[in-house]
Every structure is written in C-alpha cells, then in structure tokens.
Amino acid sequence: MITQTVRSDNGGREGKWVALSILLILMISAVLLPYHQQQAGTATLPSHQIALTDIEQASLGLIADLRLAHEEVRNLYFDAHDLNASEQQASVLETELTKSSLSQWADIDELREMWLPPFIEDKSWDFQGKHQWTLIAPATYQGIAQASGGAKSLVLVAVHETPEIWLDLNNNAAELLASETVISDKALIDAGWIQIAFEQANATSHGH
C-alpha cells in the first residue's frame, strides 16, 4: 500500500512569494532613488543662466541684499503711484511696470537716504567691491564693481514679482547704457550678462 502526503493549500507558499517580491521592489527602489534625485538636481540650464549654488561665495552677500532691495524698490513705486500690489494680479502689475518711465523709479540717492543695502556706501559696500550703482532703465539698477576680490558686477530688474538678477560672471559683460524703456532679456544676454536661477525648476526668462 502506497501512502502519499498531500500538503494543505493554506496560501503560505504564495504569501512567501508576495513578501519576496515586495522586498525585491523595495531594494530596487532604494538603489535607484539617489540616482533619480541626482538627475533631478542637476537639470541643465540654458547657456545664459547659472544656478545660485554655482556662484562664488564672494557674490552671495550682495545677491542677498539685492533680493531684499527688490521688494523695497517695488513698494516705493507702488506707494508713489497709489497701486495696491495685493489687490492686483501679478500679470497686470508687470504690464504696468513694463510701461513705466525711468523718472518714476527711485534713484540711487533716494535709496541711499533710506539706508537701503547694497546702495549705501558703508563698510559692507567697501568689502563687497565698491559697486557704482546706477538707475539705468525703468525698474533696472546696475552695479559695476570698482574693486577686485569682491562681488561680481550685477544688474537688478524689479519688473517682476520675483527678483531678476543678472551677473557679470566672467568679467566681460558690456556695461548697459541708460534707457527710457525696460531693458529686454535679449539685450542683457547679448551684452554678456548671466541670469541667476534661484530655483532651477522655474528658471526661465520672462522675455520682457
């Protein structure tokens, strides 16, 4: 008489295979995730832009000052023209600012009277490179470094809600001439200025 043992089908074997599959998926994900993050973090920028993280330390303090000054400069314009930025759409405000004239914006003397960095000539100004600041166009301030070893020459464009700052990365950008109209991105690029990309995901030119 032959006796055959029949194992009960209680799903144990299938459960082990499911657990093994899940473990394998998790292991593959753990291996690929750092690679994916690295790829996302090194997105290629256009040739006329540079990531903030790639800029030399000497220029970062001045850039930070300009980001703060951007809001103050815009508020001065809004106050002078009875505009409420919080009640108007950003696109409407940008259109308004794009059509503004040079004389409608605070000049350098006014900004210095307010003790607004980086326009005041204090110890920080001296350390950063003794930049010569000029209001060269509506909403556009150009700072040309007068001393080596400090920050690069920079241009602040305050037309948009977020700061737009351009850098003379290789010390060969052409100094911008005064204009009664807003200077276009193309003019800045053609002159050799490099736009700072504060967030690579949103690093696109406004095209004004």
Side-chain angles (χ1 to χ4, degrees):
M1 180 177 178
I2 300 174
T3 304
Q4 183 176 3
T5 303
V6 179
R7 295 181 179 179
S8 60
D9 186 10
N10 57 8
R13 182 176 301 177
E14 288 78 2
K16 290 180 181 178
W17 280 110
V18 170
L20 183 60
S21 299
I22 293 174
L23 181 60
L24 182 61
I25 292 172
L26 291 175
M27 291 175 62
I28 294 174
S29 299
V31 171
L32 294 181
L33 183 59
Y35 174 78
H36 174 73
Q37 290 176 335
Q38 182 181 10
Q39 291 294 102
T42 58
T44 302
L45 291 172
S47 60
H48 69 276
Q49 292 183 339
I50 182 172
L52 180 64
T53 53
D54 292 333
I55 296 175
E56 60 184 11
Q57 186 70 30
S59 295
L60 296 181
L62 186 53
I63 292 170
D65 285 342
L66 285 176
R67 296 181 75 175
L68 295 175
H70 164 268
E71 184 175 354
E72 293 297 330
V73 166
R74 285 169 59 89
N75 287 339
L76 286 171
Y77 179 90
F78 296 147
D79 292 343
H81 298 85
D82 295 324
L83 294 174
N84 191 328
S86 62
E87 294 181 358
Q88 298 195 42
Q89 294 182 349
S91 58
V92 175
L93 287 174
E94 287 188 10
T95 301
E96 170 75 23
L97 271 55
T98 300
K99 296 179 179 178
S100 63
S101 64
L102 185 65
S103 61
Q104 291 178 299
W105 290 85
D107 60 24
I108 301 303
D109 288 338
E110 184 176 352
L111 298 178
R112 285 173 179 163
E113 290 175 0
M114 295 176 58
W115 287 86
L116 181 64
F119 307 106
I120 52 175
E121 298 182 1
D122 56 5
K123 290 183 179 180
S124 179
W125 169 84
D126 186 78
F127 175 77
Q128 290 174 339
K130 300 181 179 180
H131 289 64
Q132 185 64 46
W133 290 98
T134 311
L135 173 64
I136 58 170
T140 307
Y141 298 84
Q142 178 177 245
I144 302 298
Q146 303 298 307
S148 60
K152 301 285 189 180
S153 296
L154 292 156
V155 172
L156 169 66
V157 181
V159 169
H160 309 286
E161 187 175 5
T162 55
E164 183 178 330
I165 301 175
W166 297 73
L167 178 80
D168 182 7
L169 181 63
N170 299 312
N171 301 318
N172 60 0
E175 188 172 340
L176 300 170
L177 301 177
S179 172
E180 285 295 328
T181 58
V182 173
I183 298 175
S184 68
D185 288 348
K186 184 179 185 303
L188 284 157
I189 295 170
D190 291 345
W193 293 88
I194 303 296
Q195 185 182 22
I196 299 173
F198 295 107
E199 296 183 18
Q200 291 192 32
N202 298 319
T204 55
S205 297
H206 294 286
H208 54 253

mmCIF file of all heavy atoms in Angstrom, residues 19-64:
data_model
loop_
_atom_site.group_PDB
_atom_site.id
_atom_site.type_symbol
_atom_site.label_atom_id
_atom_site.label_comp_id
_atom_site.label_asym_id
_atom_site.label_seq_id
_atom_site.Cartn_x
_atom_site.Cartn_y
_atom_site.Cartn_z
ATOM 1 N N ALA A 19 5.809 38.329 -0.368
ATOM 2 C CA ALA A 19 6.732 39.049 0.519
ATOM 3 C C ALA A 19 8.088 39.227 -0.142
ATOM 4 O O ALA A 19 8.718 40.291 -0.037
ATOM 5 C CB ALA A 19 6.877 38.303 1.839
ATOM 6 N N LEU A 20 8.542 38.179 -0.850
ATOM 7 C CA LEU A 20 9.826 38.255 -1.536
ATOM 8 C C LEU A 20 9.782 39.288 -2.661
ATOM 9 O O LEU A 20 10.745 40.045 -2.864
ATOM 10 C CB LEU A 20 10.190 36.874 -2.098
ATOM 11 C CG LEU A 20 11.564 36.764 -2.785
ATOM 12 C CD1 LEU A 20 12.671 37.122 -1.802
ATOM 13 C CD2 LEU A 20 11.763 35.366 -3.344
ATOM 14 N N SER A 21 8.671 39.361 -3.373
ATOM 15 C CA SER A 21 8.518 40.331 -4.459
ATOM 16 C C SER A 21 8.545 41.757 -3.929
ATOM 17 O O SER A 21 9.179 42.650 -4.505
ATOM 18 C CB SER A 21 7.207 40.075 -5.216
ATOM 19 O OG SER A 21 7.196 38.784 -5.783
ATOM 20 N N ILE A 22 7.845 41.983 -2.823
ATOM 21 C CA ILE A 22 7.819 43.318 -2.207
ATOM 22 C C ILE A 22 9.215 43.724 -1.757
ATOM 23 O O ILE A 22 9.647 44.865 -1.970
ATOM 24 C CB ILE A 22 6.840 43.341 -1.017
ATOM 25 C CG1 ILE A 22 5.395 43.160 -1.519
ATOM 26 C CG2 ILE A 22 6.970 44.644 -0.235
ATOM 27 C CD1 ILE A 22 4.374 43.037 -0.397
ATOM 28 N N LEU A 23 9.925 42.795 -1.155
ATOM 29 C CA LEU A 23 11.288 43.066 -0.692
ATOM 30 C C LEU A 23 12.193 43.425 -1.869
ATOM 31 O O LEU A 23 13.009 44.346 -1.781
ATOM 32 C CB LEU A 23 11.839 41.840 0.037
ATOM 33 C CG LEU A 23 13.265 41.974 0.603
ATOM 34 C CD1 LEU A 23 13.345 43.117 1.611
ATOM 35 C CD2 LEU A 23 13.705 40.667 1.252
ATOM 36 N N LEU A 24 12.017 42.719 -2.984
ATOM 37 C CA LEU A 24 12.830 42.977 -4.172
ATOM 38 C C LEU A 24 12.543 44.365 -4.735
ATOM 39 O O LEU A 24 13.459 45.103 -5.113
ATOM 40 C CB LEU A 24 12.548 41.900 -5.231
ATOM 41 C CG LEU A 24 13.364 41.991 -6.525
ATOM 42 C CD1 LEU A 24 14.856 41.847 -6.218
ATOM 43 C CD2 LEU A 24 12.921 40.919 -7.517
ATOM 44 N N ILE A 25 11.278 44.757 -4.755
ATOM 45 C CA ILE A 25 10.884 46.085 -5.242
ATOM 46 C C ILE A 25 11.490 47.176 -4.375
ATOM 47 O O ILE A 25 11.999 48.185 -4.866
ATOM 48 C CB ILE A 25 9.352 46.203 -5.290
ATOM 49 C CG1 ILE A 25 8.774 45.283 -6.377
ATOM 50 C CG2 ILE A 25 8.930 47.652 -5.534
ATOM 51 C CD1 ILE A 25 7.261 45.200 -6.362
ATOM 52 N N LEU A 26 11.427 46.984 -3.063
ATOM 53 C CA LEU A 26 11.989 47.971 -2.143
ATOM 54 C C LEU A 26 13.496 48.114 -2.327
ATOM 55 O O LEU A 26 14.044 49.223 -2.260
ATOM 56 C CB LEU A 26 11.673 47.575 -0.699
ATOM 57 C CG LEU A 26 10.192 47.678 -0.281
ATOM 58 C CD1 LEU A 26 10.006 47.143 1.133
ATOM 59 C CD2 LEU A 26 9.706 49.123 -0.373
ATOM 60 N N MET A 27 14.180 46.991 -2.561
ATOM 61 C CA MET A 27 15.630 47.033 -2.747
ATOM 62 C C MET A 27 15.986 47.779 -4.028
ATOM 63 O O MET A 27 16.922 48.597 -4.053
ATOM 64 C CB MET A 27 16.196 45.607 -2.796
ATOM 65 C CG MET A 27 16.133 44.861 -1.459
ATOM 66 S SD MET A 27 16.685 43.142 -1.605
ATOM 67 C CE MET A 27 18.388 43.379 -2.123
ATOM 68 N N ILE A 28 15.234 47.528 -5.099
ATOM 69 C CA ILE A 28 15.489 48.225 -6.365
ATOM 70 C C ILE A 28 15.232 49.721 -6.212
ATOM 71 O O ILE A 28 15.994 50.564 -6.701
ATOM 72 C CB ILE A 28 14.612 47.637 -7.482
ATOM 73 C CG1 ILE A 28 15.036 46.182 -7.768
ATOM 74 C CG2 ILE A 28 14.706 48.478 -8.751
ATOM 75 C CD1 ILE A 28 14.133 45.469 -8.751
ATOM 76 N N SER A 29 14.151 50.073 -5.509
ATOM 77 C CA SER A 29 13.815 51.483 -5.295
ATOM 78 C C SER A 29 14.906 52.193 -4.503
ATOM 79 O O SER A 29 15.262 53.337 -4.792
ATOM 80 C CB SER A 29 12.481 51.604 -4.548
ATOM 81 O OG SER A 29 11.432 51.017 -5.289
ATOM 82 N N ALA A 30 15.429 51.512 -3.492
ATOM 83 C CA ALA A 30 16.482 52.111 -2.667
ATOM 84 C C ALA A 30 17.732 52.388 -3.485
ATOM 85 O O ALA A 30 18.445 53.356 -3.251
ATOM 86 C CB ALA A 30 16.806 51.185 -1.494
ATOM 87 N N VAL A 31 17.983 51.544 -4.477
ATOM 88 C CA VAL A 31 19.165 51.720 -5.326
ATOM 89 C C VAL A 31 18.962 52.852 -6.327
ATOM 90 O O VAL A 31 19.865 53.656 -6.582
ATOM 91 C CB VAL A 31 19.495 50.406 -6.062
ATOM 92 C CG1 VAL A 31 20.588 50.636 -7.102
ATOM 93 C CG2 VAL A 31 19.927 49.349 -5.068
ATOM 94 N N LEU A 32 17.778 52.950 -6.896
ATOM 95 C CA LEU A 32 17.522 53.909 -7.972
ATOM 96 C C LEU A 32 17.174 55.306 -7.474
ATOM 97 O O LEU A 32 17.373 56.278 -8.196
ATOM 98 C CB LEU A 32 16.382 53.403 -8.861
ATOM 99 C CG LEU A 32 16.662 52.133 -9.653
ATOM 100 C CD1 LEU A 32 15.453 51.761 -10.501
ATOM 101 C CD2 LEU A 32 17.897 52.321 -10.546
ATOM 102 N N LEU A 33 16.655 55.445 -6.251
ATOM 103 C CA LEU A 33 16.196 56.744 -5.755
ATOM 104 C C LEU A 33 17.302 57.793 -5.720
ATOM 105 O O LEU A 33 17.110 58.907 -6.206
ATOM 106 C CB LEU A 33 15.569 56.589 -4.366
ATOM 107 C CG LEU A 33 14.974 57.877 -3.765
ATOM 108 C CD1 LEU A 33 13.898 58.438 -4.680
ATOM 109 C CD2 LEU A 33 14.404 57.610 -2.375
ATOM 110 N N PRO A 34 18.478 57.505 -5.159
ATOM 111 C CA PRO A 34 19.537 58.526 -5.162
ATOM 112 C C PRO A 34 19.926 58.966 -6.560
ATOM 113 O O PRO A 34 20.207 60.132 -6.805
ATOM 114 C CB PRO A 34 20.705 57.824 -4.455
ATOM 115 C CG PRO A 34 20.060 56.744 -3.644
ATOM 116 C CD PRO A 34 18.884 56.293 -4.447
ATOM 117 N N TYR A 35 19.922 58.019 -7.512
ATOM 118 C CA TYR A 35 20.255 58.347 -8.900
ATOM 119 C C TYR A 35 19.222 59.292 -9.482
ATOM 120 O O TYR A 35 19.546 60.273 -10.153
ATOM 121 C CB TYR A 35 20.319 57.072 -9.736
ATOM 122 C CG TYR A 35 20.524 57.315 -11.209
ATOM 123 C CD1 TYR A 35 21.791 57.641 -11.709
ATOM 124 C CD2 TYR A 35 19.450 57.242 -12.089
ATOM 125 C CE1 TYR A 35 21.978 57.864 -13.073
ATOM 126 C CE2 TYR A 35 19.625 57.477 -13.445
ATOM 127 C CZ TYR A 35 20.890 57.790 -13.933
ATOM 128 O OH TYR A 35 21.064 58.023 -15.268
ATOM 129 N N HIS A 36 17.943 59.037 -9.197
ATOM 130 C CA HIS A 36 16.864 59.885 -9.693
ATOM 131 C C HIS A 36 16.955 61.288 -9.101
ATOM 132 O O HIS A 36 16.778 62.290 -9.795
ATOM 133 C CB HIS A 36 15.513 59.256 -9.349
ATOM 134 C CG HIS A 36 14.347 60.132 -9.696
ATOM 135 N ND1 HIS A 36 13.930 60.345 -10.989
ATOM 136 C CD2 HIS A 36 13.520 60.883 -8.904
ATOM 137 C CE1 HIS A 36 12.893 61.170 -10.991
ATOM 138 N NE2 HIS A 36 12.642 61.508 -9.739
ATOM 139 N N GLN A 37 17.253 61.357 -7.801
ATOM 140 C CA GLN A 37 17.376 62.663 -7.153
ATOM 141 C C GLN A 37 18.543 63.439 -7.730
ATOM 142 O O GLN A 37 18.464 64.647 -7.908
ATOM 143 C CB GLN A 37 17.553 62.478 -5.649
ATOM 144 C CG GLN A 37 16.296 61.967 -4.949
ATOM 145 C CD GLN A 37 16.524 61.708 -3.479
ATOM 146 O OE1 GLN A 37 17.647 61.457 -3.052
ATOM 147 N NE2 GLN A 37 15.463 61.755 -2.698
ATOM 148 N N GLN A 38 19.636 62.747 -8.025
ATOM 149 C CA GLN A 38 20.797 63.402 -8.594
ATOM 150 C C GLN A 38 20.486 63.954 -9.976
ATOM 151 O O GLN A 38 20.872 65.061 -10.327
ATOM 152 C CB GLN A 38 21.965 62.426 -8.666
ATOM 153 C CG GLN A 38 23.251 63.064 -9.214
ATOM 154 C CD GLN A 38 24.385 62.079 -9.288
ATOM 155 O OE1 GLN A 38 24.170 60.881 -9.113
ATOM 156 N NE2 GLN A 38 25.571 62.552 -9.560
ATOM 157 N N GLN A 39 19.753 63.176 -10.759
ATOM 158 C CA GLN A 39 19.390 63.620 -12.091
ATOM 159 C C GLN A 39 18.494 64.848 -12.030
ATOM 160 O O GLN A 39 18.637 65.787 -12.797
ATOM 161 C CB GLN A 39 18.677 62.488 -12.852
ATOM 162 C CG GLN A 39 19.572 61.330 -13.218
ATOM 163 C CD GLN A 39 20.639 61.731 -14.215
ATOM 164 O OE1 GLN A 39 21.784 61.927 -13.847
ATOM 165 N NE2 GLN A 39 20.271 61.874 -15.468
ATOM 166 N N ALA A 40 17.529 64.845 -11.089
ATOM 167 C CA ALA A 40 16.602 65.971 -10.952
ATOM 168 C C ALA A 40 17.316 67.216 -10.465
ATOM 169 O O ALA A 40 16.978 68.332 -10.818
ATOM 170 C CB ALA A 40 15.475 65.597 -9.987
ATOM 171 N N GLY A 41 18.319 67.020 -9.612
ATOM 172 C CA GLY A 41 19.005 68.164 -9.034
ATOM 173 C C GLY A 41 20.022 68.795 -9.966
ATOM 174 O O GLY A 41 20.521 69.878 -9.700
ATOM 175 N N THR A 42 20.373 68.110 -11.056
ATOM 176 C CA THR A 42 21.355 68.639 -11.987
ATOM 177 C C THR A 42 20.728 68.927 -13.338
ATOM 178 O O THR A 42 21.345 68.694 -14.373
ATOM 179 C CB THR A 42 22.518 67.642 -12.132
ATOM 180 O OG1 THR A 42 21.994 66.378 -12.588
ATOM 181 C CG2 THR A 42 23.250 67.450 -10.824
ATOM 182 N N ALA A 43 19.513 69.476 -13.319
ATOM 183 C CA ALA A 43 18.838 69.815 -14.564
ATOM 184 C C ALA A 43 19.666 70.844 -15.322
ATOM 185 O O ALA A 43 20.205 71.778 -14.746
ATOM 186 C CB ALA A 43 17.443 70.362 -14.265
ATOM 187 N N THR A 44 19.779 70.643 -16.615
ATOM 188 C CA THR A 44 20.585 71.535 -17.438
ATOM 189 C C THR A 44 19.900 72.880 -17.600
ATOM 190 O O THR A 44 18.723 72.963 -17.960
ATOM 191 C CB THR A 44 20.818 70.902 -18.816
ATOM 192 O OG1 THR A 44 21.456 69.632 -18.645
ATOM 193 C CG2 THR A 44 21.688 71.799 -19.667
ATOM 194 N N LEU A 45 20.642 73.949 -17.352
ATOM 195 C CA LEU A 45 20.132 75.304 -17.509
ATOM 196 C C LEU A 45 20.515 75.842 -18.882
ATOM 197 O O LEU A 45 21.513 75.410 -19.471
ATOM 198 C CB LEU A 45 20.706 76.217 -16.424
ATOM 199 C CG LEU A 45 20.232 75.983 -14.992
ATOM 200 C CD1 LEU A 45 21.047 76.844 -14.022
ATOM 201 C CD2 LEU A 45 18.757 76.304 -14.836
ATOM 202 N N PRO A 46 19.757 76.817 -19.389
ATOM 203 C CA PRO A 46 20.161 77.484 -20.636
ATOM 204 C C PRO A 46 21.532 78.136 -20.460
ATOM 205 O O PRO A 46 21.963 78.424 -19.343
ATOM 206 C CB PRO A 46 19.062 78.532 -20.836
ATOM 207 C CG PRO A 46 17.887 78.033 -20.052
ATOM 208 C CD PRO A 46 18.468 77.300 -18.871
ATOM 209 N N SER A 47 22.207 78.394 -21.559
ATOM 210 C CA SER A 47 23.569 78.922 -21.500
ATOM 211 C C SER A 47 23.649 80.305 -20.875
ATOM 212 O O SER A 47 24.722 80.710 -20.407
ATOM 213 C CB SER A 47 24.166 78.964 -22.912
ATOM 214 O OG SER A 47 23.375 79.803 -23.759
ATOM 215 N N HIS A 48 22.526 81.032 -20.838
ATOM 216 C CA HIS A 48 22.558 82.395 -20.281
ATOM 217 C C HIS A 48 22.169 82.416 -18.798
ATOM 218 O O HIS A 48 21.969 83.496 -18.238
ATOM 219 C CB HIS A 48 21.615 83.318 -21.063
ATOM 220 C CG HIS A 48 20.162 83.019 -20.868
ATOM 221 N ND1 HIS A 48 19.498 82.054 -21.594
ATOM 222 C CD2 HIS A 48 19.233 83.541 -20.020
ATOM 223 C CE1 HIS A 48 18.239 82.010 -21.209
ATOM 224 N NE2 HIS A 48 18.055 82.896 -20.256
ATOM 225 N N GLN A 49 22.083 81.255 -18.159
ATOM 226 C CA GLN A 49 21.705 81.184 -16.757
ATOM 227 C C GLN A 49 22.730 80.397 -15.948
ATOM 228 O O GLN A 49 23.448 79.549 -16.480
ATOM 229 C CB GLN A 49 20.319 80.528 -16.601
ATOM 230 C CG GLN A 49 19.185 81.376 -17.155
ATOM 231 C CD GLN A 49 17.835 80.724 -16.925
ATOM 232 O OE1 GLN A 49 17.740 79.519 -16.710
ATOM 233 N NE2 GLN A 49 16.788 81.515 -16.972
ATOM 234 N N ILE A 50 22.769 80.678 -14.651
ATOM 235 C CA ILE A 50 23.627 79.949 -13.723
ATOM 236 C C ILE A 50 22.857 79.726 -12.427
ATOM 237 O O ILE A 50 22.125 80.608 -11.966
ATOM 238 C CB ILE A 50 24.947 80.707 -13.446
ATOM 239 C CG1 ILE A 50 25.857 79.882 -12.511
ATOM 240 C CG2 ILE A 50 24.679 82.090 -12.870
ATOM 241 C CD1 ILE A 50 27.250 80.485 -12.348
ATOM 242 N N ALA A 51 22.994 78.543 -11.854
ATOM 243 C CA ALA A 51 22.323 78.234 -10.593
ATOM 244 C C ALA A 51 22.981 79.011 -9.453
ATOM 245 O O ALA A 51 24.196 79.221 -9.444
ATOM 246 C CB ALA A 51 22.379 76.743 -10.311
ATOM 247 N N LEU A 52 22.171 79.440 -8.507
ATOM 248 C CA LEU A 52 22.694 80.184 -7.360
ATOM 249 C C LEU A 52 23.769 79.386 -6.628
ATOM 250 O O LEU A 52 24.754 79.948 -6.145
ATOM 251 C CB LEU A 52 21.540 80.527 -6.404
ATOM 252 C CG LEU A 52 21.910 81.314 -5.141
ATOM 253 C CD1 LEU A 52 22.452 82.694 -5.501
ATOM 254 C CD2 LEU A 52 20.697 81.461 -4.213
ATOM 255 N N THR A 53 23.590 78.069 -6.574
ATOM 256 C CA THR A 53 24.533 77.218 -5.857
ATOM 257 C C THR A 53 25.898 77.130 -6.541
ATOM 258 O O THR A 53 26.857 76.652 -5.949
ATOM 259 C CB THR A 53 23.958 75.798 -5.711
ATOM 260 O OG1 THR A 53 23.556 75.320 -7.014
ATOM 261 C CG2 THR A 53 22.748 75.805 -4.790
ATOM 262 N N ASP A 54 25.982 77.599 -7.788
ATOM 263 C CA ASP A 54 27.242 77.540 -8.533
ATOM 264 C C ASP A 54 28.002 78.866 -8.521
ATOM 265 O O ASP A 54 29.042 78.988 -9.164
ATOM 266 C CB ASP A 54 26.981 77.126 -9.986
ATOM 267 C CG ASP A 54 26.493 75.689 -10.100
ATOM 268 O OD1 ASP A 54 26.829 74.889 -9.206
ATOM 269 O OD2 ASP A 54 25.771 75.381 -11.065
ATOM 270 N N ILE A 55 27.465 79.848 -7.803
ATOM 271 C CA ILE A 55 28.092 81.174 -7.766
ATOM 272 C C ILE A 55 29.091 81.244 -6.615
ATOM 273 O O ILE A 55 28.831 80.725 -5.524
ATOM 274 C CB ILE A 55 27.015 82.263 -7.623
ATOM 275 C CG1 ILE A 55 26.114 82.265 -8.871
ATOM 276 C CG2 ILE A 55 27.638 83.642 -7.428
ATOM 277 C CD1 ILE A 55 24.957 83.217 -8.781
ATOM 278 N N GLU A 56 30.193 81.911 -6.846
ATOM 279 C CA GLU A 56 31.238 82.016 -5.836
ATOM 280 C C GLU A 56 30.729 82.750 -4.594
ATOM 281 O O GLU A 56 29.862 83.623 -4.662
ATOM 282 C CB GLU A 56 32.446 82.754 -6.412
ATOM 283 C CG GLU A 56 32.129 84.162 -6.880
ATOM 284 C CD GLU A 56 33.330 84.832 -7.531
ATOM 285 O OE1 GLU A 56 34.330 84.136 -7.794
ATOM 286 O OE2 GLU A 56 33.262 86.040 -7.768
ATOM 287 N N GLN A 57 31.302 82.397 -3.460
ATOM 288 C CA GLN A 57 30.869 82.909 -2.157
ATOM 289 C C GLN A 57 30.928 84.431 -2.086
ATOM 290 O O GLN A 57 30.077 85.070 -1.457
ATOM 291 C CB GLN A 57 31.753 82.307 -1.063
ATOM 292 C CG GLN A 57 31.326 82.644 0.351
ATOM 293 C CD GLN A 57 30.035 81.958 0.753
ATOM 294 O OE1 GLN A 57 29.757 80.861 0.263
ATOM 295 N NE2 GLN A 57 29.264 82.575 1.635
ATOM 296 N N ALA A 58 31.902 85.046 -2.731
ATOM 297 C CA ALA A 58 32.108 86.490 -2.626
ATOM 298 C C ALA A 58 30.918 87.299 -3.134
ATOM 299 O O ALA A 58 30.722 88.449 -2.718
ATOM 300 C CB ALA A 58 33.369 86.894 -3.387
ATOM 301 N N SER A 59 30.124 86.725 -4.021
ATOM 302 C CA SER A 59 28.993 87.458 -4.599
ATOM 303 C C SER A 59 27.671 87.196 -3.884
ATOM 304 O O SER A 59 26.694 87.915 -4.114
ATOM 305 C CB SER A 59 28.835 87.094 -6.083
ATOM 306 O OG SER A 59 29.951 87.525 -6.831
ATOM 307 N N LEU A 60 27.609 86.188 -3.030
ATOM 308 C CA LEU A 60 26.343 85.769 -2.441
ATOM 309 C C LEU A 60 25.747 86.813 -1.500
ATOM 310 O O LEU A 60 24.517 86.994 -1.452
ATOM 311 C CB LEU A 60 26.521 84.440 -1.703
ATOM 312 C CG LEU A 60 26.891 83.244 -2.582
ATOM 313 C CD1 LEU A 60 27.008 81.979 -1.740
ATOM 314 C CD2 LEU A 60 25.845 83.048 -3.690
ATOM 315 N N GLY A 61 26.588 87.525 -0.747
ATOM 316 C CA GLY A 61 26.071 88.538 0.165
ATOM 317 C C GLY A 61 25.395 89.669 -0.570
ATOM 318 O O GLY A 61 24.307 90.134 -0.180
ATOM 319 N N LEU A 62 26.002 90.131 -1.641
ATOM 320 C CA LEU A 62 25.428 91.214 -2.440
ATOM 321 C C LEU A 62 24.139 90.769 -3.119
ATOM 322 O O LEU A 62 23.169 91.525 -3.215
ATOM 323 C CB LEU A 62 26.443 91.684 -3.473
ATOM 324 C CG LEU A 62 26.064 92.910 -4.320
ATOM 325 C CD1 LEU A 62 25.647 94.077 -3.440
ATOM 326 C CD2 LEU A 62 27.218 93.312 -5.221
ATOM 327 N N ILE A 63 24.119 89.528 -3.580
ATOM 328 C CA ILE A 63 22.900 88.989 -4.200
ATOM 329 C C ILE A 63 21.763 88.948 -3.186
ATOM 330 O O ILE A 63 20.619 89.293 -3.498
ATOM 331 C CB ILE A 63 23.177 87.583 -4.777
ATOM 332 C CG1 ILE A 63 24.135 87.690 -5.969
ATOM 333 C CG2 ILE A 63 21.884 86.901 -5.201
ATOM 334 C CD1 ILE A 63 24.669 86.357 -6.452
ATOM 335 N N ALA A 64 22.063 88.545 -1.959
ATOM 336 C CA ALA A 64 21.049 88.515 -0.897
ATOM 337 C C ALA A 64 20.519 89.915 -0.623
ATOM 338 O O ALA A 64 19.307 90.111 -0.431
ATOM 339 C CB ALA A 64 21.642 87.906 0.374
#
